[in-house]
Amino acid sequence: MTPTRKPEAFIGGHALRPESLMGTYGYDPALSEGALKVPIFQTSTFVFKSAEEGKAFFELAYGLREAGPAEHMGLIYSRLNNPDLEVLEDRLSLWDDAEAAAVFESGMAAISTSLFALLSPGDVVLYSEPVYGGTDYFLKNVLARFQIQAVGFAAGCPVSEMEARLAAAGGAGRLRMIFLETPANPTNALVDIAACAELAKRTSRPERRTLVAVDNTFLGPLFQHPLQHGADLVLYSATKYIGGHSDVIAGVCLGSKALLAEVRAMRTFLGTMASPWTGWLLLRSLETLKLRMTCEMKNARYVADYLNDHAKVEKVHYLGLLTEADPAHAIYRRQCLAPGGMVSFQLTGGEAEAFRFLNGLRLFKLAVSLGGTESLAEHPASMTHSDIAIADRARMGITENMVRLSIGVEHPEDLIADLKQALDAV
Ligand SMILES: *Cc1c(COP(=O)(O)O)cnc(C)c1O
């Protein structure tokens, strides 16, 4: 897949990096009174220059004919598209080197719309565990009502075990999608994307390819690029790092033009597209994406090292602390560019000790969600992962003494001072 970048992404033969293009790419100020920034196009509908133009736009929108060489679809109605979303989709495509993107009003809207677009009754989805709670519920309970079967496997298990799980569930021959969340929330367990792409290739039939979809919320779009490792779709909760300020809910799906055409068509009919205001907020966020994520990653390194040396901490789950003896280390080296900003750890003790620690924090705020500029702490077993059966939770390593931290952009010594006094109080 070779994405076609617009001419402004190059200076001569030199291809500009995404961070150099986040303020300007895909936007022509001359079309908006010279405004430097993309205005908020708060409009439901767009005026056609002529009836003929309206007819031509609809022919392209509904796929009634192919676009001519210099022709591109105009604006019709904000459920189909809107300039804030078009510019945002162009800019998001740069980070993952994707041909196409679609933005949604939430991460769950991106996931549910994409899966509804590409799955049919009788299909099987193989998925890594643990996955985000909303995704878990959608896979197990919503898809089941449409005769789509979801079969889980433990993140980090060998491919042979995935195949055994599929066969045991009677799903061999019906596999349509492998859905991954890597690193997994909250344990930071890794799934080998390339190995899953290989399994997908082996189970594809000429008339029906097995697709690999990766929820890249934790490391992307800066520190992991699943399409380069053979994935077909990349999904995001843009509420997290892409939005980055804990003030907007949004989602993204990226992939080939052909797959995204199906996803966008489903988005049009479900009406799950992002609003212009959401699009504008994300455009603003993208300008500082690299700055924020780099700072959060550096801060997380300090925090993980501090916790790792603390007498009251049993184990730290942080990608930067993987040792070569760990089988995840090789996957990390192959598919991740940096360890990111999420740190989980187990305190000595149980829920009582974890709660005492959480209640003692002053700078870290006690809240779910992640990827914002402020540092957050939460207790997965009783909060984000509380609806997972206790036995399953234990199997996934989500224990009563585990705390999950999302590291923000504060001064690292201030974060450590806060952790120190909260641990002292335990
Ligand atoms: C938050 C999250 C989601 C859901 O996204 P929303 O924007 O809350 O709908 C999906 N996957 C992961 C990994 C998440 O962290």
Side-chain angles (χ1 to χ4, degrees):
M1 162 161 48
T2 355
T4 38
R5 293 185 169 202
K6 295 175 192 292
E8 68 260 33
F10 300 90
I11 295 176
H14 174 85
L16 299 169
R17 272 48 159 227
E19 60 266 38
S20 307
L21 293 164
M22 284 304 108
T24 55
Y25 188 70
Y27 170 67
D28 178 2
L31 295 174
S32 297
E33 308 277 3
L36 172 69
K37 308 309 275 192
V38 184
I40 306 170
F41 289 88
Q42 192 67 44
T43 183
S44 58
T45 194
F46 296 86
V47 179
F48 303 133
K49 289 199 185 85
S50 65
E52 289 77 9
E53 185 187 71
K55 178 181 175 184
F57 287 178
F58 268 95
E59 284 170 347
L60 297 184
Y62 288 171
L64 302 178
R65 64 174 172 84
E66 289 291 309
E71 191 180 15
H72 102 177
M73 198 184 94
L75 295 157
I76 298 176
Y77 183 66
S78 287
R79 179 157 45 75
L80 278 62
N81 225 332
N82 175 286
D84 292 295
L85 306 197
E86 283 194 346
V87 175
L88 175 61
E89 286 162 357
D90 285 346
R91 291 185 189 171
L92 283 164
S93 299
L94 294 174
W95 293 96
D96 277 289
D97 232 347
E99 279 182 4
V103 287
F104 296 84
E105 201 57 16
S106 71
M108 281 313 301
I111 293 167
S112 56
T113 304
S114 304
L115 267 54
F116 273 137
L118 299 166
L119 298 172
S120 303
D123 286 346
V124 171
V125 187
L126 199 53
Y127 71 100
S128 62
E129 291 182 297
V131 281
Y132 180 74
T135 310
D136 190 80
Y137 186 90
F138 180 78
L139 287 167
K140 283 188 192 140
N141 301 297
V142 180
L143 289 183
R145 289 173 40 213
F146 297 88
Q147 282 76 51
I148 298 163
Q149 189 184 348
V151 180
F153 65 87
C157 81
V159 172
S160 57
E161 195 179 318
M162 294 180 204
E163 291 187 89
R165 285 256 175 173
L166 182 66
R174 292 190 291 125
L175 182 62
R176 171 61 170 161
M177 180 181 283
I178 306 175
F179 184 99
L180 313 177
E181 193 177 298
T182 180
N185 176 18
T187 56
N188 271 331
L190 295 179
V191 185
D192 188 336
I193 299 169
C196 290
E198 190 55 43
L199 172 62
K201 200 179 274 175
R202 247 186 310 118
T203 54
S204 290
R205 281 173 281 139
E207 72 286 2
R208 246 176 55 108
R209 227 154 46 77
T210 305
L211 303 171
V212 176
V214 180
D215 182 332
N216 198 34
T217 299
F218 267 48
L219 282 184
L222 217 70
F223 301 137
Q224 182 171 265
H225 300 120
L227 298 177
Q228 292 176 17
H229 302 279
D232 299 286
L233 286 182
V234 179
L235 295 152
Y236 290 103
S237 168
T239 309
K240 314 297 165 53
Y241 286 102
I242 293 175
H245 296 72
S246 304
D247 56 8
V248 61
I249 301 275
V252 188
C253 175
L254 300 115
S256 68
K257 270 202 179 109
L259 284 176
L260 262 288
E262 295 185 54
V263 170
R264 298 173 75 92
M266 185 58 76
R267 184 182 72 168
T268 294
F269 294 112
L270 295 183
T272 47
M273 70 293 157
S275 72
W277 173 226
T278 296
W280 188 89
L281 282 170
L282 294 182
L283 282 171
R284 185 172 180 143
S285 290
L286 279 183
E287 296 180 23
T288 54
L289 179 73
K290 185 182 176 186
L291 276 177
R292 287 185 282 108
M293 287 193 79
T294 304
C295 174
E296 289 156 355
M297 182 263 291
K298 286 184 183 163
N299 282 352
R301 171 96 244 174
Y302 285 108
V303 166
D305 284 343
Y306 172 76
L307 291 172
N308 204 36
D309 289 340
H310 200 286
K312 290 182 184 172
V313 173
E314 253 174 31
K315 181 159 175 60
V316 181
H317 302 270
Y318 175 64
L319 294 176
L321 290 174
L322 284 175
T323 60
E324 282 184 30
D326 194 318
H329 189 263
I331 303 175
Y332 174 75
R333 291 296 296 270
R334 262 200 315 278
Q335 80 188 26
C336 311
L337 299 167
M342 295 299 296
V343 180
S344 293
F345 68 99
Q346 275 138 339
L347 285 143
T348 309
E351 186 189 83
E353 285 72 18
F355 277 20
R356 221 167 293 142
F357 167 78
L358 288 168
N359 290 333
L361 290 168
R362 309 246 323 262
L363 182 56
F364 278 83
K365 295 299 167 230
L366 178 50
V368 299
S369 198
L370 58 109
T373 47
E374 66 291 301
S375 292
L376 299 179
E378 68 113 2
H379 185 246
S382 69
M383 296 171 191
T384 46
H385 296 71
S386 58
D387 68 343
I388 300 176
I390 294 175
D392 290 342
R393 232 191 281 147
R395 191 165 44 76
M396 295 171 192
I398 306 168
T399 53
E400 297 293 327
N401 62 347
M402 178 181 268
V403 168
R404 186 189 79 184
L405 303 176
S406 169
I407 306 299
V409 301
E410 303 90 341
H411 197 291
E413 286 169 15
D414 296 343
L415 294 173
I416 287 167
D418 193 24
L419 294 171
K420 179 178 184 311
Q421 61 84 27
L423 281 165
D424 285 347
V426 176

